[in-house]
């Protein structure tokens, strides 16, 4: 196996062109820093609204998490519905689930409306119980979906062979309205849409400084009425909010294309997007050309401080996969790559305006393409008009003033890595935020 992001390989043969870097000084109405799913959603929202919009990215559009991702477009992020329901109660779960579903639909709609060639695959989700906790996870998830009135189907271990050629799972939850996507081709396709609609897009343009209304890049400067930061892994010299997140590392691999009989053995009825019920879960789905796209990690490498440039982790994920799917155990996996996802302590995104500088907006730590899309769009809508916003209630979930089980002072003693593991595990399996008061700050936002 060799280290290579498969999605970059899939750009070969497309007519997409790289946008040149910004040189010199420009002024604009809105500057978006970072062109992943969040920045692109913001730009799409602002496009054609009579504003001059500029997007810069230090890499290419989609060049970080968005373009490395496995492309599961599902409202489940790191939190399943049952976990959101426990944390926020019925209304909160409804709000949040619908935001994330909106993000899924938005990406699919943009792809369809603009004819973007991003390998959009309509596939139901299959959440598979595994290990001792598996039956409970599946039970909880089924109960949550039923209680919220969302369409869902459950399978016992005995029923699973009717839909998947896998062994060793304790049951599953199936639900609809989800798709798989090639995130890099989506991002590059959106770039073309933006450029065609008059948005200025500069790739290979890194923001290195911020003062008042001006962002300095490595070759120029942009002065803007509003600035939306949707960049990942922001450094201390650009923002004071770098403390807000840490990076979780996950590994992906892709197989050679399956033969039709192998697809049939894996998914006798239709292909599913699958993941298991572990804290560090494994996930897999079929791409449009019938390759198995598979991902996962280990507790150690997920929270490692440095990138682990090794195929050892993905080899372990593969061994487990082959144990569950003996019918495709012989299939070769050729390429692997890894990526780091910005995450907050409680796995919820943070959207905020800089106090005292309301023209500076931040979208931070969005786990998942749908969340990033919703939050980027959300921030952009606040640029358009404060007064007409009816969604300030979302700051209850996304505001920065959230408490954590390991408080910040204790994190200084125990280190960021351990603190994030504990906070995130707590947020996923124990935390209750139901009584958190509404963050009503209409004046500020
Ligand atoms: C390997 C992997 C697999 C994943 N699988 C899935 C999945 O299946 N489904 C799912 O929903 N999510 C998945 N995710 C998570 C998802 O990709 C991210 O949560 C999402 O893409 C975040 O989008 P974003 O726009 O916030 O950030 P990013 O996509 O990281 O975009 C931020 C952009 O900012 C740019 N940037 C950073 N600093 C600067 C600077 N100083 N100046 C200019 N530009 C800058 C970067 O180049 C980047 O393009 C995965 C992530 C990884 C890494």
């Amino acid at each position: 196996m060799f280290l290579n992001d498969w999605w970059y390989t899939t750009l070969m043969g497309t007519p997409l062109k790289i946008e040149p870097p910004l040189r010199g000084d420009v002024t604009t109405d809105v500057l978006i820093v970072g062109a992943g799913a969040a920045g692109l959603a913001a730009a799409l929202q602002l496009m054609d609204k009579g504003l001059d919009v500029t997007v810069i990215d230090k890499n290419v559009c989609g060049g970080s998490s968005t373009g490395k991702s496995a492309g599961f477009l599902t409202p489940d992020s790191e939190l399943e519905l049952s976990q959101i329901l426990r944390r926020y109660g019925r209304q909160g779960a409804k709000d949040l689930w619908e935001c994330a579903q909106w993000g899924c639909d938005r990406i699919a709609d943009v792809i369809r409306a603009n004819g973007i060639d991003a390998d959009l695959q309509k596939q139901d989700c299959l959440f598979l119980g595994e290990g001792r906790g598996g039956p409970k996870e599946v039970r909880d998830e089924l109960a949550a979906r039923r209680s919220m009135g969302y369409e869902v189907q459950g399978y016992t271990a005995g029923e699973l062979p009717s839909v998947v050629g896998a062994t060793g799972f304790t049951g599953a939850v199936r639900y609809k309205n989800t798709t798989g996507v090639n995130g890099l081709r989506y991002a590059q396709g959106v770039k073309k849409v933006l450029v065609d609609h008059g948005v200025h897009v500069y790739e290979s343009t890194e923001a290195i400084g911020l003062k008042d209304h001006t962002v300095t890049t490595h070759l120029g400067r942009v002065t803007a009425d509003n600035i939306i930061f949707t960049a990942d892994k922001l450094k201390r010299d650009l923002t004071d909010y770098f403390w807000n997140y840490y990076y979780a590392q996950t590994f992906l691999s892709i197989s050679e294309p399956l033969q039709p009989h192998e697809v049939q053995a894996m998914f006798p009825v239709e292909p599913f997007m699958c993941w298991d019920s572990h804290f560090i879960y494994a996930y897999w789905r079929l791409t449009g050309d019938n390759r198995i796209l598979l991902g996962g990690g280990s507790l150690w490498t997920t929270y490692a401080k440095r990138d682990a440039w090794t195929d050892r982790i993905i080899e372990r994920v593969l061994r487990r996969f082959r144990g569950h799917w003996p019918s495709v155990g012989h299939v070769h996996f050729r390429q692997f790559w890894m990526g780091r996802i910005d995450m907050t302590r409680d796995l919820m995104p943070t959207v905020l305006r800089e106090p005292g500088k309301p023209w500076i907006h931040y979208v931070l730590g969005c786990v998942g393409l749908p969340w990033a899309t919703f939050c980027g769009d959300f921030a952009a809508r606040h640029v358009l008009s404060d007064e007409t916003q009816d969604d300030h209630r979302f700051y209850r979930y996304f505001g920065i003033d959230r408490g954590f089980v390991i408080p910040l002072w204790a994190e200084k003693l125990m280190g960021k890595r351990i603190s994030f593991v504990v906070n995130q595990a707590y947020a996923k399996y124990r935390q209750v935020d139901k009584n958190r008061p509404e963050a009503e700050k209409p004046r500020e936002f």
Side-chain angles (χ1 to χ4, degrees):
M1 260 208 291
F2 56 97
L3 179 61
N4 198 29
D5 180 343
W6 171 251
W7 304 126
Y8 277 89
T9 312
T10 70
L11 288 184
M12 292 172 73
T14 64
L16 296 161
K17 77 181 208 346
I18 302 168
E19 292 300 320
L22 169 73
R23 291 178 192 275
D25 294 357
V26 294
T27 56
T28 189
D29 293 329
V30 187
L31 169 65
I32 298 164
V33 182
L40 295 169
L44 284 167
Q45 174 60 253
L46 296 169
M47 176 180 96
D48 295 335
K49 298 276 173 15
L51 291 168
D52 188 83
V53 180
T54 300
V55 178
I56 62 172
D57 197 290
K58 72 173 181 187
N59 193 324
V60 293
C61 295
S64 190
S65 302
T66 297
K68 292 177 182 159
S69 82
F72 284 55
L73 291 184
T74 89
D76 298 86
S77 51
E78 295 302 306
L79 297 170
E80 306 295 340
L81 180 64
S82 56
Q83 294 159 346
I84 294 180
L85 186 58
R86 181 202 68 238
R87 280 184 62 172
Y88 297 101
R90 285 185 65 78
Q91 185 56 48
K94 186 171 182 308
D95 286 346
L96 291 170
W97 201 251
E98 287 174 9
C99 295
Q101 185 63 57
W102 183 90
C104 300
D105 297 343
R106 174 70 170 160
I107 294 174
D109 290 348
V110 166
I111 289 172
R112 290 194 193 102
N114 296 286
I116 296 173
D117 182 4
D119 195 27
L120 194 66
Q121 296 293 316
K122 195 165 177 1
Q123 292 175 3
D124 288 2
C125 282
L126 206 62
F127 171 63
L128 290 150
E130 198 191 357
R132 260 192 319 164
K136 180 178 178 318
E137 297 279 345
V138 166
R139 252 192 337 267
D140 288 354
E141 206 46 28
L142 277 172
R145 281 164 208 262
R146 285 182 181 137
S147 82
M148 295 292 294
Y150 298 147
E151 201 183 332
V152 68
Q153 190 173 348
Y155 296 98
T156 62
E159 290 163 346
L160 268 179
S162 65
V163 283
V164 285
T167 58
F169 293 109
T170 60
V173 180
R174 172 184 181 172
Y175 65 95
K176 293 180 182 303
N177 238 345
T178 53
T179 42
V181 70
N182 176 332
L184 187 56
R185 280 172 70 152
Y186 163 71
Q188 288 288 310
V190 172
K191 170 180 80 176
K192 182 166 183 317
V193 173
L194 295 172
V195 171
D196 290 349
H197 284 75
V199 174
H200 314 288
V201 180
Y202 299 100
E203 296 182 301
S204 309
T205 301
E206 180 169 6
I208 54 172
L210 167 67
K211 191 154 190 285
D212 296 328
H213 283 268
T214 301
V215 166
T216 309
T217 69
H218 71 293
L219 292 174
R221 279 185 310 188
V222 188
T223 302
D225 291 344
N226 276 281
I227 303 167
I228 307 178
F229 278 97
T230 51
D232 63 330
K233 297 160 194 78
L234 276 173
K235 304 244 170 57
R236 190 185 287 256
D237 40 359
L238 265 179
T239 176
D240 287 340
Y241 297 112
F242 67 90
W243 58 267
N244 185 54
Y245 50 73
Y246 188 70
Y247 320 116
Q249 185 173 213
T250 181
F251 293 76
L252 291 177
S253 185
I254 189 136
S255 77
E256 59 202 11
L258 299 188
Q259 301 295 311
H261 69 274
E262 292 167 330
V263 173
Q264 176 74 21
M266 206 176 164
F267 296 115
V269 185
E270 61 183 78
F272 292 103
M273 305 205 293
C274 307
W275 67 98
D276 68 38
S277 57
H278 292 292
F279 179 50
I280 309 294
Y281 53 91
Y283 44 96
W284 52 100
R285 70 176 179 89
L286 288 187
T287 58
D289 57 353
N290 287 333
R291 294 170 191 271
I292 305 170
L293 173 68
L294 157 157
S298 70
L299 185 62
W300 182 255
T301 50
T302 298
Y303 291 94
K305 283 191 181 146
R306 293 181 204 291
D307 290 339
W309 301 104
T310 167
D311 60 4
R312 281 213 316 271
I313 311 303
I314 197 71
E315 288 287 5
R316 266 183 40 191
V317 178
L318 267 167
R319 275 198 297 280
R320 266 178 55 194
F321 172 81
R322 289 184 176 123
H324 282 300
W325 301 81
S327 57
V328 284
H330 57 281
V331 171
H332 293 274
F333 284 75
R334 306 298 306 153
Q335 301 189 7
F336 80 100
W337 65 103
M338 77 285 281
R340 285 175 175 265
I341 312 170
D342 289 26
M343 288 181 168
T344 62
R345 289 170 180 80
D346 63 357
L347 300 166
M348 290 302 291
T350 300
V351 185
L352 66 111
R353 276 186 177 189
E354 179 89 58
K357 294 181 183 167
W359 63 90
I360 305 178
H361 309 247
Y362 289 98
V363 175
L364 305 168
C366 298
V367 185
L369 301 162
W371 275 119
T373 299
F374 177 84
C375 292
D377 180 89
F378 179 53
R381 279 183 284 131
H382 284 268
V383 167
L384 283 175
S385 159
D386 283 355
E387 301 309 316
T388 58
Q389 291 300 313
D390 64 350
D391 50 11
H392 294 111
R393 65 197 155 101
F394 289 123
Y395 285 104
R396 175 181 173 207
Y397 316 110
F398 305 149
I400 195 148
D401 56 339
R402 312 199 288 256
F404 309 106
V405 67
I406 305 288
L408 293 176
W409 63 263
E411 185 172 297
K412 292 205 175 85
L413 300 174
M414 66 200 299
K416 208 167 178 179
R417 177 160 48 155
I418 307 277
S419 152
F420 264 70
V421 177
V422 177
N423 273 318
Q424 292 188 346
Y426 185 79
K428 196 167 164 64
Y429 298 114
R430 286 266 175 273
Q431 191 163 325
V432 175
D433 310 48
K434 266 181 217 159
N435 301 324
R436 190 172 144 72
E438 192 111 345
E440 262 304 340
K441 297 178 181 169
R443 291 269 157 260
E444 198 172 327
F445 298 110

